Amino acid sequence: ASAGVAVPFLVLFGSLHAPARNGEEARPNMVFIISDTLRADYCSAYGGAVATPNLSALAESGVRFDRNYSLAPWTLPAITGLFSSQYPKSLTPDGDHKTWILEMNRYEVDYEVPTLPMRLEEAGYRTGAFTANAFLPVVPGMMFGYEDRASSHPILLEDNGYFNQLPLLSATFRAWLPVLVDIRPHNTTQDLDRYAQAFIRRHRDVPFFLWIHYIDPHAPYDPPEDLRRVHEGPWPFFHPYVGGEEWGIPILGKNFFVAEPDQDYVRSLYEGEITYVDDFVGRIQDALKSAGVADDTYVCFTSDHGEELWDHGEWGHGQSLHDELVRVPWIFSGPGLSPRTISNPVSAIDLVPTLADVLGVAPAESWRGKSLGPVLRGEEEVPADVPIFSLGTSNKSVNNPQYMVVRGTYKLIQIDGGEDVLYDLATDPEEQSNIASENPALVAELGALLDEWLASFSPYFDAMPVEFNREMEQGLEGMGYL
Protein backbone atom coordinates (compact mmCIF):
# COMPACT_ATOMS: atom_id res chain seq x y z
CA ALA A 1 0.00 0.00 0.00
CA SER A 2 1.09 3.57 -0.42
CA ALA A 3 0.71 6.60 1.79
CA GLY A 4 0.35 9.89 0.01
CA VAL A 5 1.48 13.29 1.10
CA ALA A 6 -0.85 14.49 3.81
CA VAL A 7 -2.39 17.89 3.98
CA PRO A 8 -4.43 18.71 7.09
CA PHE A 9 -8.14 18.90 6.49
CA LEU A 10 -8.98 22.45 7.50
CA VAL A 11 -12.30 24.17 7.75
CA LEU A 12 -12.11 27.55 9.45
CA PHE A 13 -14.99 29.80 10.31
CA GLY A 14 -15.30 33.00 12.28
CA SER A 15 -14.03 36.52 12.20
CA LEU A 16 -10.41 37.53 12.60
CA HIS A 17 -11.18 40.36 14.98
CA ALA A 18 -13.35 40.38 18.09
CA PRO A 19 -15.04 43.39 19.64
CA ALA A 20 -13.54 44.79 22.82
CA ARG A 21 -14.87 43.38 26.07
CA ASN A 22 -16.91 45.78 28.18
CA GLY A 23 -17.72 45.63 31.86
CA GLU A 24 -20.98 43.72 31.37
CA GLU A 25 -19.13 41.00 29.47
CA ALA A 26 -16.38 40.47 32.07
CA ARG A 27 -17.10 36.77 32.46
CA PRO A 28 -14.60 33.94 32.85
CA ASN A 29 -13.21 32.08 29.88
CA MET A 30 -12.95 28.31 29.54
CA VAL A 31 -10.36 26.19 27.75
CA PHE A 32 -11.65 22.63 27.61
CA ILE A 33 -8.90 20.21 26.57
CA ILE A 34 -9.52 16.58 25.66
CA SER A 35 -6.49 14.38 25.05
CA ASP A 36 -7.75 11.38 23.12
CA THR A 37 -7.05 7.87 24.49
CA LEU A 38 -5.21 9.00 27.64
CA ARG A 39 -5.30 6.56 30.54
CA ALA A 40 -4.83 8.22 33.91
CA ASP A 41 -2.50 5.75 35.58
CA TYR A 42 0.42 6.40 33.21
CA CYS A 43 0.59 10.14 34.01
CA SER A 44 2.92 11.44 36.73
CA ALA A 45 0.05 13.80 37.64
CA TYR A 46 -1.74 10.61 38.73
CA GLY A 47 1.25 8.86 40.27
CA GLY A 48 2.39 7.19 37.05
CA ALA A 49 5.86 6.93 35.57
CA VAL A 50 5.34 9.16 32.52
CA ALA A 51 6.39 12.77 32.99
CA THR A 52 3.44 15.18 32.76
CA PRO A 53 4.80 18.31 34.49
CA ASN A 54 2.20 20.68 33.06
CA LEU A 55 -0.70 18.48 34.10
CA SER A 56 0.90 18.15 37.53
CA ALA A 57 1.15 21.93 37.83
CA LEU A 58 -2.45 22.28 36.68
CA ALA A 59 -3.55 19.75 39.32
CA GLU A 60 -1.56 21.48 42.07
CA SER A 61 -3.31 24.77 41.34
CA GLY A 62 -6.76 23.25 40.98
CA VAL A 63 -8.86 20.15 41.57
CA ARG A 64 -7.76 16.68 40.48
CA PHE A 65 -10.40 13.98 40.31
CA ASP A 66 -8.41 10.84 41.04
CA ARG A 67 -11.05 8.33 39.92
CA ASN A 68 -12.91 9.82 36.99
CA TYR A 69 -14.67 7.32 34.73
CA SER A 70 -15.45 7.65 31.04
CA LEU A 71 -18.90 6.70 29.78
CA ALA A 72 -17.50 4.15 27.30
CA PRO A 73 -14.13 2.69 26.26
CA TRP A 74 -13.97 4.28 22.80
CA THR A 75 -14.64 7.68 21.29
CA LEU A 76 -18.06 7.70 19.62
CA PRO A 77 -20.21 6.60 22.58
CA ALA A 78 -17.87 8.25 25.11
CA ILE A 79 -17.68 11.69 23.53
CA THR A 80 -21.31 11.94 22.38
CA GLY A 81 -22.42 10.88 25.85
CA LEU A 82 -20.08 13.39 27.46
CA PHE A 83 -21.29 16.38 25.43
CA SER A 84 -24.95 15.30 25.71
CA SER A 85 -24.62 14.45 29.40
CA GLN A 86 -26.53 11.28 28.57
CA TYR A 87 -25.57 7.64 28.76
CA PRO A 88 -24.70 6.22 25.34
CA LYS A 89 -26.58 3.45 23.62
CA SER A 90 -25.19 0.01 22.92
CA LEU A 91 -24.74 -1.54 19.53
CA THR A 92 -27.17 -4.42 18.95
CA PRO A 93 -25.89 -7.61 20.63
CA ASP A 94 -24.87 -10.20 18.03
CA GLY A 95 -25.51 -7.67 15.27
CA ASP A 96 -23.90 -8.14 11.89
CA HIS A 97 -21.26 -5.82 10.43
CA LYS A 98 -23.77 -3.76 8.43
CA THR A 99 -26.05 -3.29 11.43
CA TRP A 100 -23.18 -2.06 13.56
CA ILE A 101 -21.94 0.38 10.92
CA LEU A 102 -25.43 1.84 10.55
CA GLU A 103 -25.78 2.13 14.32
CA MET A 104 -22.40 3.85 14.62
CA ASN A 105 -23.81 6.45 12.22
CA ARG A 106 -26.49 7.19 14.80
CA TYR A 107 -24.27 8.32 17.65
CA GLU A 108 -24.88 12.04 18.04
CA VAL A 109 -24.80 14.94 20.45
CA ASP A 110 -28.36 15.60 21.52
CA TYR A 111 -29.33 18.88 19.85
CA GLU A 112 -33.08 18.83 20.41
CA VAL A 113 -32.26 21.31 23.15
CA PRO A 114 -29.40 23.83 22.85
CA THR A 115 -26.00 22.22 23.34
CA LEU A 116 -23.48 23.71 25.77
CA PRO A 117 -21.70 25.84 23.12
CA MET A 118 -25.08 27.01 21.80
CA ARG A 119 -26.05 28.07 25.32
CA LEU A 120 -22.74 29.86 25.72
CA GLU A 121 -23.20 31.63 22.38
CA GLU A 122 -26.56 32.90 23.59
CA ALA A 123 -24.86 34.12 26.77
CA GLY A 124 -22.38 36.20 24.77
CA TYR A 125 -19.44 33.83 24.55
CA ARG A 126 -17.26 33.41 21.48
CA THR A 127 -16.86 29.70 20.83
CA GLY A 128 -14.18 27.65 19.10
CA ALA A 129 -13.56 23.94 18.48
CA PHE A 130 -10.31 22.53 17.11
CA THR A 131 -10.26 18.77 16.75
CA ALA A 132 -7.95 16.05 15.47
CA ASN A 133 -10.18 12.99 15.66
CA ALA A 134 -11.13 12.11 12.10
CA PHE A 135 -14.85 11.57 12.57
CA LEU A 136 -15.79 14.19 15.17
CA PRO A 137 -16.62 16.92 12.61
CA VAL A 138 -19.31 14.74 10.98
CA VAL A 139 -21.03 13.55 14.18
CA PRO A 140 -24.51 15.12 14.19
CA GLY A 141 -24.71 17.95 16.71
CA MET A 142 -21.04 17.78 17.67
CA MET A 143 -20.06 21.11 16.13
CA PHE A 144 -23.32 22.96 16.77
CA GLY A 145 -22.72 26.33 18.42
CA TYR A 146 -19.04 26.76 17.51
CA GLU A 147 -18.33 29.91 15.53
CA ASP A 148 -14.70 29.03 14.81
CA ARG A 149 -13.73 25.46 14.09
CA ALA A 150 -11.04 23.47 12.34
CA SER A 151 -10.07 19.84 11.99
CA SER A 152 -6.74 18.19 11.25
CA HIS A 153 -6.55 14.56 10.13
CA PRO A 154 -4.21 12.30 12.15
CA ILE A 155 -4.06 9.17 10.02
CA LEU A 156 -2.70 10.78 6.88
CA LEU A 157 0.96 10.13 6.19
CA GLU A 158 3.21 12.84 4.79
CA ASP A 159 6.79 13.50 3.81
CA ASN A 160 8.41 15.04 6.84
CA GLY A 161 11.76 15.48 5.14
CA TYR A 162 13.36 17.91 2.71
CA PHE A 163 10.63 17.67 0.09
CA ASN A 164 7.54 18.06 2.27
CA GLN A 165 6.48 21.20 0.38
CA LEU A 166 7.01 19.55 -3.02
CA PRO A 167 4.50 16.70 -3.18
CA LEU A 168 5.18 15.66 -6.78
CA LEU A 169 8.93 15.53 -6.24
CA SER A 170 8.41 13.75 -2.92
CA ALA A 171 6.25 11.09 -4.60
CA THR A 172 8.90 10.61 -7.30
CA PHE A 173 11.71 10.18 -4.80
CA ARG A 174 9.57 7.87 -2.72
CA ALA A 175 9.07 5.60 -5.71
CA TRP A 176 12.70 5.60 -6.87
CA LEU A 177 14.89 6.82 -3.97
CA PRO A 178 12.90 6.19 -0.77
CA VAL A 179 15.98 6.86 1.37
CA LEU A 180 15.53 10.57 0.57
CA VAL A 181 12.04 10.85 2.05
CA ASP A 182 10.80 10.57 5.62
CA ILE A 183 7.15 9.51 5.64
CA ARG A 184 5.49 10.06 9.04
CA PRO A 185 1.98 10.53 10.42
CA HIS A 186 0.79 14.12 10.12
CA ASN A 187 1.41 16.13 13.31
CA THR A 188 -2.09 17.34 14.16
CA THR A 189 -1.08 18.53 17.63
CA GLN A 190 1.03 21.29 16.11
CA ASP A 191 -1.91 22.31 13.91
CA LEU A 192 -4.30 22.52 16.84
CA ASP A 193 -1.80 24.49 18.87
CA ARG A 194 -1.58 27.13 16.13
CA TYR A 195 -5.36 27.35 15.79
CA ALA A 196 -5.92 27.54 19.55
CA GLN A 197 -3.28 30.17 20.18
CA ALA A 198 -4.66 32.32 17.35
CA PHE A 199 -8.17 31.94 18.79
CA ILE A 200 -6.97 33.06 22.22
CA ARG A 201 -5.22 36.11 20.78
CA ARG A 202 -8.25 37.11 18.70
CA HIS A 203 -10.69 36.80 21.59
CA ARG A 204 -8.65 38.13 24.47
CA ASP A 205 -11.15 40.98 24.96
CA VAL A 206 -14.35 38.93 25.00
CA PRO A 207 -15.44 35.90 27.03
CA PHE A 208 -14.68 32.69 25.16
CA PHE A 209 -15.14 28.93 25.31
CA LEU A 210 -12.46 26.93 23.50
CA TRP A 211 -12.55 23.15 23.02
CA ILE A 212 -9.27 21.55 21.93
CA HIS A 213 -9.38 17.84 21.12
CA TYR A 214 -5.85 16.51 20.65
CA ILE A 215 -5.65 13.08 19.03
CA ASP A 216 -2.45 12.29 20.94
CA PRO A 217 -1.73 9.85 22.49
CA HIS A 218 -4.10 7.85 20.24
CA ALA A 219 -2.26 5.82 17.60
CA PRO A 220 -0.40 6.48 15.38
CA TYR A 221 2.29 6.75 18.07
CA ASP A 222 5.14 8.90 16.77
CA PRO A 223 6.62 11.05 19.55
CA PRO A 224 9.85 13.02 19.06
CA GLU A 225 13.02 10.98 19.53
CA ASP A 226 13.99 12.76 22.75
CA LEU A 227 10.70 11.66 24.35
CA ARG A 228 11.15 7.96 23.60
CA ARG A 229 12.12 5.70 26.49
CA VAL A 230 13.08 2.96 24.00
CA HIS A 231 14.88 4.31 20.93
CA GLU A 232 15.44 1.11 18.98
CA GLY A 233 12.43 -0.76 17.66
CA PRO A 234 11.18 -2.74 14.67
CA TRP A 235 9.44 0.30 13.09
CA PRO A 236 10.07 4.07 13.17
CA PHE A 237 6.59 4.66 14.62
CA PHE A 238 3.47 2.63 15.41
CA HIS A 239 0.78 3.05 12.75
CA PRO A 240 -1.44 -0.07 12.85
CA TYR A 241 -3.62 1.14 9.98
CA VAL A 242 -3.60 0.86 6.20
CA GLY A 243 -0.22 2.11 5.03
CA GLY A 244 1.60 0.86 8.09
CA GLU A 245 2.37 -2.50 6.51
CA GLU A 246 4.97 -0.72 4.37
CA TRP A 247 7.16 -0.68 7.48
CA GLY A 248 6.12 -4.15 8.58
CA ILE A 249 3.74 -2.76 11.20
CA PRO A 250 0.90 -5.22 11.95
CA ILE A 251 -2.46 -3.89 10.80
CA LEU A 252 -5.53 -3.87 13.04
CA GLY A 253 -7.86 -6.66 12.16
CA LYS A 254 -8.62 -10.30 12.80
CA ASN A 255 -4.99 -11.42 12.85
CA PHE A 256 -3.51 -8.37 14.56
CA PHE A 257 -0.50 -9.41 16.66
CA VAL A 258 2.52 -7.69 18.19
CA ALA A 259 5.28 -9.94 19.48
CA GLU A 260 5.99 -9.62 23.19
CA PRO A 261 9.54 -8.22 22.72
CA ASP A 262 8.04 -5.37 20.65
CA GLN A 263 5.25 -4.54 23.08
CA ASP A 264 7.51 -2.52 25.38
CA TYR A 265 8.65 -0.47 22.40
CA VAL A 266 4.99 0.29 21.59
CA ARG A 267 4.40 1.24 25.22
CA SER A 268 7.38 3.57 25.13
CA LEU A 269 5.97 5.34 22.07
CA TYR A 270 2.61 5.77 23.81
CA GLU A 271 4.42 7.17 26.84
CA GLY A 272 6.30 9.65 24.67
CA GLU A 273 3.02 10.79 23.14
CA ILE A 274 1.68 11.56 26.63
CA THR A 275 4.63 13.77 27.49
CA TYR A 276 4.36 15.39 24.07
CA VAL A 277 0.73 16.42 24.54
CA ASP A 278 1.54 17.55 28.09
CA ASP A 279 4.02 19.99 26.57
CA PHE A 280 1.25 21.47 24.44
CA VAL A 281 -0.98 21.85 27.48
CA GLY A 282 1.83 24.02 28.84
CA ARG A 283 1.92 26.00 25.60
CA ILE A 284 -1.78 26.76 25.87
CA GLN A 285 -1.28 27.98 29.42
CA ASP A 286 1.59 30.18 28.21
CA ALA A 287 -0.66 31.57 25.47
CA LEU A 288 -3.28 32.49 28.07
CA LYS A 289 -0.62 34.31 30.08
CA SER A 290 0.72 36.12 27.02
CA ALA A 291 -2.79 37.25 26.14
CA GLY A 292 -3.29 38.53 29.68
CA VAL A 293 -6.30 36.31 30.37
CA ALA A 294 -4.82 33.48 32.46
CA ASP A 295 -6.30 34.81 35.70
CA ASP A 296 -9.76 34.97 34.12
CA THR A 297 -9.68 31.54 32.48
CA TYR A 298 -10.63 28.08 33.68
CA VAL A 299 -8.72 25.17 32.20
CA CYS A 300 -10.45 21.79 32.24
CA PHE A 301 -8.47 18.76 31.08
CA THR A 302 -9.76 15.24 30.50
CA SER A 303 -9.80 12.33 28.04
CA ASP A 304 -12.56 10.45 26.27
CA HIS A 305 -11.19 6.98 27.18
CA GLY A 306 -7.94 5.15 27.85
CA GLU A 307 -5.80 2.57 26.10
CA GLU A 308 -4.98 -1.05 26.84
CA LEU A 309 -1.34 -1.94 26.31
CA TRP A 310 -1.67 -5.70 26.82
CA ASP A 311 -2.70 -5.24 30.48
CA HIS A 312 -5.33 -7.93 29.94
CA GLY A 313 -3.93 -9.49 26.79
CA GLU A 314 -5.02 -6.99 24.12
CA TRP A 315 -4.00 -3.68 22.56
CA GLY A 316 -6.18 -0.68 21.77
CA HIS A 317 -9.56 0.32 23.09
CA GLY A 318 -13.23 -0.60 22.92
CA GLN A 319 -12.82 -4.20 24.01
CA SER A 320 -13.40 -4.04 27.77
CA LEU A 321 -14.31 -1.92 30.78
CA HIS A 322 -11.07 -2.38 32.69
CA ASP A 323 -9.65 0.72 34.33
CA GLU A 324 -6.93 1.18 31.71
CA LEU A 325 -9.78 1.92 29.27
CA VAL A 326 -12.27 3.88 31.38
CA ARG A 327 -10.33 5.61 34.18
CA VAL A 328 -9.20 8.91 32.67
CA PRO A 329 -7.87 12.24 33.97
CA TRP A 330 -10.09 15.11 34.99
CA ILE A 331 -8.26 18.20 36.20
CA PHE A 332 -9.94 21.56 36.71
CA SER A 333 -8.06 24.76 37.44
CA GLY A 334 -9.03 28.41 37.55
CA PRO A 335 -10.21 31.36 39.64
CA GLY A 336 -12.08 30.73 42.87
CA LEU A 337 -11.41 27.00 43.14
CA SER A 338 -10.31 25.14 46.25
CA PRO A 339 -7.16 23.17 45.23
CA ARG A 340 -7.23 19.54 46.31
CA THR A 341 -7.56 15.93 45.15
CA ILE A 342 -10.96 14.21 45.08
CA SER A 343 -10.52 10.50 45.84
CA ASN A 344 -14.09 9.26 45.49
CA PRO A 345 -15.23 8.11 42.03
CA VAL A 346 -16.92 10.54 39.64
CA SER A 347 -18.30 10.27 36.11
CA ALA A 348 -17.93 12.09 32.79
CA ILE A 349 -21.73 12.35 32.80
CA ASP A 350 -21.24 15.33 35.17
CA LEU A 351 -18.65 17.14 33.09
CA VAL A 352 -20.83 19.33 30.84
CA PRO A 353 -23.19 20.33 33.67
CA THR A 354 -20.09 21.33 35.65
CA LEU A 355 -18.74 23.46 32.79
CA ALA A 356 -22.13 25.15 32.44
CA ASP A 357 -22.33 25.87 36.15
CA VAL A 358 -18.84 27.34 36.35
CA LEU A 359 -19.59 29.62 33.39
CA GLY A 360 -22.98 30.64 34.73
CA VAL A 361 -25.35 29.15 32.15
CA ALA A 362 -28.45 27.14 32.93
CA PRO A 363 -28.37 23.35 32.55
CA ALA A 364 -30.60 21.50 30.10
CA GLU A 365 -33.39 19.37 31.53
CA SER A 366 -32.20 16.46 29.37
CA TRP A 367 -28.76 16.34 31.01
CA ARG A 368 -28.43 13.27 33.20
CA GLY A 369 -25.40 14.53 35.10
CA LYS A 370 -25.24 17.08 37.85
CA SER A 371 -22.78 19.88 38.35
CA LEU A 372 -19.73 19.31 40.52
CA GLY A 373 -19.24 23.07 40.70
CA PRO A 374 -19.93 23.06 44.47
CA VAL A 375 -17.18 20.44 44.83
CA LEU A 376 -14.76 22.59 42.82
CA ARG A 377 -15.52 25.56 45.05
CA GLY A 378 -15.05 23.55 48.24
CA GLU A 379 -18.69 23.85 49.22
CA GLU A 380 -19.50 20.12 49.00
CA GLU A 381 -17.76 16.76 49.02
CA VAL A 382 -18.21 13.91 46.57
CA PRO A 383 -20.11 11.12 48.38
CA ALA A 384 -18.19 7.86 48.62
CA ASP A 385 -21.11 5.57 47.79
CA VAL A 386 -22.59 7.16 44.65
CA PRO A 387 -22.60 4.50 41.89
CA ILE A 388 -20.69 5.32 38.70
CA PHE A 389 -21.69 3.63 35.43
CA SER A 390 -20.06 2.93 32.07
CA LEU A 391 -21.24 1.02 29.02
CA GLY A 392 -18.94 -1.12 26.92
CA THR A 393 -20.03 -1.63 23.35
CA SER A 394 -17.92 -2.04 20.25
CA ASN A 395 -18.03 -3.63 16.83
CA LYS A 396 -14.90 -5.58 17.75
CA SER A 397 -16.13 -6.83 21.12
CA VAL A 398 -16.95 -10.53 21.37
CA ASN A 399 -18.94 -9.77 24.51
CA ASN A 400 -21.23 -6.97 23.43
CA PRO A 401 -22.49 -5.18 25.44
CA GLN A 402 -20.78 -4.95 28.82
CA TYR A 403 -21.91 -2.86 31.79
CA MET A 404 -19.88 -1.46 34.68
CA VAL A 405 -20.76 -0.04 38.05
CA VAL A 406 -18.23 1.32 40.53
CA ARG A 407 -19.27 2.02 44.09
CA GLY A 408 -16.59 2.87 46.59
CA THR A 409 -13.66 0.58 45.93
CA TYR A 410 -15.72 -2.21 44.35
CA LYS A 411 -16.25 -2.58 40.61
CA LEU A 412 -18.68 -4.98 38.94
CA ILE A 413 -18.59 -5.73 35.23
CA GLN A 414 -21.50 -7.62 33.73
CA ILE A 415 -20.89 -9.20 30.35
CA ASP A 416 -23.91 -9.97 28.22
CA GLY A 417 -24.19 -13.73 28.13
CA GLY A 418 -21.11 -14.14 30.31
CA GLU A 419 -20.03 -14.26 33.91
CA ASP A 420 -20.05 -11.39 36.39
CA VAL A 421 -16.64 -9.98 37.24
CA LEU A 422 -16.03 -8.24 40.57
CA TYR A 423 -12.88 -6.44 41.65
CA ASP A 424 -11.80 -4.74 44.83
CA LEU A 425 -9.78 -1.85 43.43
CA ALA A 426 -8.32 -1.04 46.83
CA THR A 427 -6.42 -4.31 46.96
CA ASP A 428 -6.37 -5.17 43.25
CA PRO A 429 -5.99 -1.95 41.22
CA GLU A 430 -4.75 -3.88 38.16
CA GLU A 431 -7.93 -5.99 38.15
CA GLN A 432 -6.33 -9.40 38.11
CA SER A 433 -8.52 -11.28 40.63
CA ASN A 434 -12.22 -11.85 40.07
CA ILE A 435 -13.79 -12.13 43.53
CA ALA A 436 -17.41 -12.48 42.37
CA SER A 437 -17.83 -16.07 43.51
CA GLU A 438 -16.69 -15.14 47.00
CA ASN A 439 -19.12 -12.22 47.33
CA PRO A 440 -22.52 -13.25 45.92
CA ALA A 441 -24.45 -10.76 48.07
CA LEU A 442 -22.32 -7.85 46.88
CA VAL A 443 -22.62 -8.99 43.27
CA ALA A 444 -26.41 -9.09 43.64
CA GLU A 445 -26.47 -5.64 45.24
CA LEU A 446 -24.31 -4.04 42.56
CA GLY A 447 -26.17 -5.96 39.85
CA ALA A 448 -29.42 -4.44 41.10
CA LEU A 449 -27.88 -0.99 40.68
CA LEU A 450 -27.02 -1.87 37.08
CA ASP A 451 -30.56 -3.10 36.45
CA GLU A 452 -32.00 0.13 37.86
CA TRP A 453 -29.58 2.19 35.76
CA LEU A 454 -30.40 0.35 32.52
CA ALA A 455 -34.10 0.78 33.20
CA SER A 456 -33.63 4.56 33.45
CA PHE A 457 -32.84 5.09 29.74
CA SER A 458 -33.12 3.31 26.42
CA PRO A 459 -29.86 1.33 26.14
CA TYR A 460 -30.30 0.25 22.50
CA PHE A 461 -30.94 1.94 19.18
CA ASP A 462 -34.46 1.50 17.83
CA ALA A 463 -35.12 0.01 14.41
CA MET A 464 -35.68 3.36 12.68
CA PRO A 465 -33.73 3.41 9.39
CA VAL A 466 -30.79 5.77 9.14
CA GLU A 467 -29.21 7.53 6.20
CA PHE A 468 -25.79 6.06 5.55
CA ASN A 469 -22.99 8.48 6.47
CA ARG A 470 -20.06 7.77 4.15
CA GLU A 471 -17.86 10.40 5.82
CA MET A 472 -18.43 8.75 9.18
CA GLU A 473 -17.53 5.34 7.77
CA GLN A 474 -14.31 6.72 6.25
CA GLY A 475 -13.39 8.32 9.57
CA LEU A 476 -14.09 5.13 11.50
CA GLU A 477 -12.09 3.10 9.01
CA GLY A 478 -9.19 5.53 9.12
CA MET A 479 -9.10 5.41 12.91
CA GLY A 480 -9.02 1.60 12.92
CA TYR A 481 -12.58 1.00 14.15
CA LEU A 482 -13.72 -0.86 11.03
Side-chain angles (χ1 to χ4, degrees):
S2 63
V5 178
V7 177
F9 171 67
L10 305 177
V11 185
L12 281 171
F13 300 85
S15 62
L16 294 178
H17 303 284
R21 180 183 301 193
N22 58 43
E24 293 180 353
E25 293 177 316
R27 304 180 64 180
N29 310 307
M30 175 72 71
V31 178
F32 180 36
I33 302 174
I34 297 179
S35 177
D36 207 297
T37 319
L38 178 58
R39 54 190 286 175
D41 64 329
Y42 268 42
C43 304
S44 63
Y46 280 77
V50 181
T52 55
N54 292 295
L55 291 182
S56 295
L58 197 67
E60 289 169 6
S61 66
V63 177
R64 177 172 70 89
F65 293 95
D66 187 58
R67 299 175 61 202
N68 172 52
Y69 282 93
S70 170
L71 298 176
W74 68 288
T75 299
L76 263 181
I79 208 72
T80 54
L82 184 155
F83 276 106
S84 297
S85 188
Q86 295 180 11
Y87 293 108
K89 296 182 184 298
S90 170
L91 302 179
T92 298
D94 302 319
D96 58 25
H97 184 69
K98 180 179 179 181
T99 298
W100 282 344
I101 290 179
L102 290 174
E103 288 180 337
M104 285 188 216
N105 276 268
R106 299 179 65 183
Y107 282 111
E108 64 181 19
V109 173
D110 181 14
Y111 53 91
E112 292 184 357
V113 295
T115 63
L116 174 63
M118 293 167 69
R119 289 167 181 270
L120 290 169
E121 256 195 321
E122 293 171 358
Y125 275 80
R126 301 303 296 268
T127 55
F130 305 119
T131 65
N133 190 305
F135 51 78
L136 289 181
V138 299
V139 172
M142 182 65 71
M143 294 298 170
F144 283 20
Y146 293 107
E147 297 173 285
D148 295 11
R149 56 189 187 267
S151 179
S152 185
H153 200 305
I155 305 302
L156 298 174
L157 300 182
E158 64 183 358
D159 182 358
N160 202 39
Y162 296 111
F163 308 106
N164 63 337
Q165 299 299 318
L166 302 167
L168 183 59
L169 189 60
S170 173
T172 301
F173 277 121
R174 187 171 183 203
W176 297 100
L177 291 169
V179 71
L180 296 181
V181 297
D182 180 23
I183 302 298
R184 308 302 282 250
H186 178 68
N187 191 331
T188 62
T189 299
Q190 289 183 345
D191 288 342
L192 267 57
D193 182 62
R194 289 193 293 268
Y195 307 153
Q197 293 207 34
F199 179 92
I200 291 168
R201 289 193 298 270
R202 291 198 307 270
H203 300 102
R204 63 196 300 170
D205 296 320
V206 293
F208 63 78
F209 176 83
L210 172 59
W211 169 36
I212 309 169
H213 192 112
Y214 296 117
I215 195 62
D216 293 332
H218 189 292
Y221 306 155
D222 187 26
E225 288 293 333
D226 62 335
L227 298 181
R228 299 184 180 206
R229 174 174 54 81
V230 179
H231 294 278
E232 297 296 327
W235 329 287
F237 51 89
F238 188 60
H239 178 85
Y241 312 114
V242 174
E245 66 269 26
E246 184 170 331
W247 290 268
I249 302 170
I251 305 303
L252 278 177
K254 184 177 181 180
N255 298 315
F256 176 78
F257 173 76
V258 175
E260 189 170 347
D262 299 328
Q263 292 176 8
D264 191 52
Y265 174 66
V266 173
R267 279 190 286 267
S268 78
L269 297 179
Y270 177 80
E271 293 166 7
E273 292 265 316
I274 293 174
T275 300
Y276 187 62
V277 78
D278 177 85
D279 179 64
F280 281 87
V281 172
R283 295 189 196 195
I284 293 299
Q285 291 174 281
D286 290 341
L288 294 170
K289 293 174 185 175
S290 297
V293 297
D295 292 340
D296 302 315
T297 302
Y298 293 100
V299 178
C300 178
F301 179 90
T302 191
S303 181
D304 51 351
H305 56 80
E307 186 86 310
E308 182 182 350
L309 294 153
W310 297 281
D311 305 71
H312 290 89
E314 296 190 49
W315 174 86
H317 46 269
Q319 65 268 17
S320 80
L321 289 168
H322 290 298
D323 265 20
E324 61 265 17
L325 290 179
V326 290
R327 180 181 168 231
V328 296
W330 183 3
I331 301 172
F332 212 120
S333 181
L337 302 189
S338 177
R340 65 200 192 283
T341 295
I342 306 298
S343 299
N344 291 330
V346 296
S347 169
I349 199 78
D350 297 325
L351 213 154
V352 158
T354 301
L355 297 179
D357 178 7
V358 168
L359 295 179
V361 299
E365 291 184 4
S366 62
W367 292 351
R368 287 290 302 268
K370 73 169 198 172
S371 171
L372 296 183
V375 175
L376 297 175
R377 295 185 289 267
E379 301 163 0
E380 295 181 5
E381 298 296 329
V382 174
D385 58 351
V386 172
I388 303 298
F389 303 100
S390 291
L391 182 147
T393 184
S394 169
N395 66 318
K396 67 179 182 180
S397 174
V398 295
N399 299 304
N400 187 13
Q402 303 179 40
Y403 309 112
M404 179 207 83
V405 58
V406 170
R407 190 184 65 180
T409 66
Y410 289 100
K411 175 177 178 178
L412 177 68
I413 299 174
Q414 283 190 343
I415 301 172
D416 188 50
E419 66 175 338
D420 292 335
V421 181
L422 178 68
Y423 300 109
D424 182 355
L425 300 176
T427 60
D428 181 25
E430 296 181 356
E431 298 170 294
Q432 298 297 314
S433 299
N434 179 10
I435 58 172
S437 61
E438 306 158 34
N439 298 273
L442 182 56
V443 169
E445 186 178 349
L446 295 176
L449 291 176
L450 281 176
D451 291 341
E452 182 180 352
W453 169 62
L454 289 169
S456 71
F457 69 103
S458 176
Y460 298 107
F461 292 102
D462 58 36
M464 183 174 63
V466 62
E467 182 180 350
F468 191 74
N469 187 335
R470 178 60 181 165
E471 288 181 288
M472 174 75 79
E473 185 197 21
Q474 290 174 331
L476 290 165
E477 190 172 26
M479 298 294 289
Y481 291 114
L482 297 179

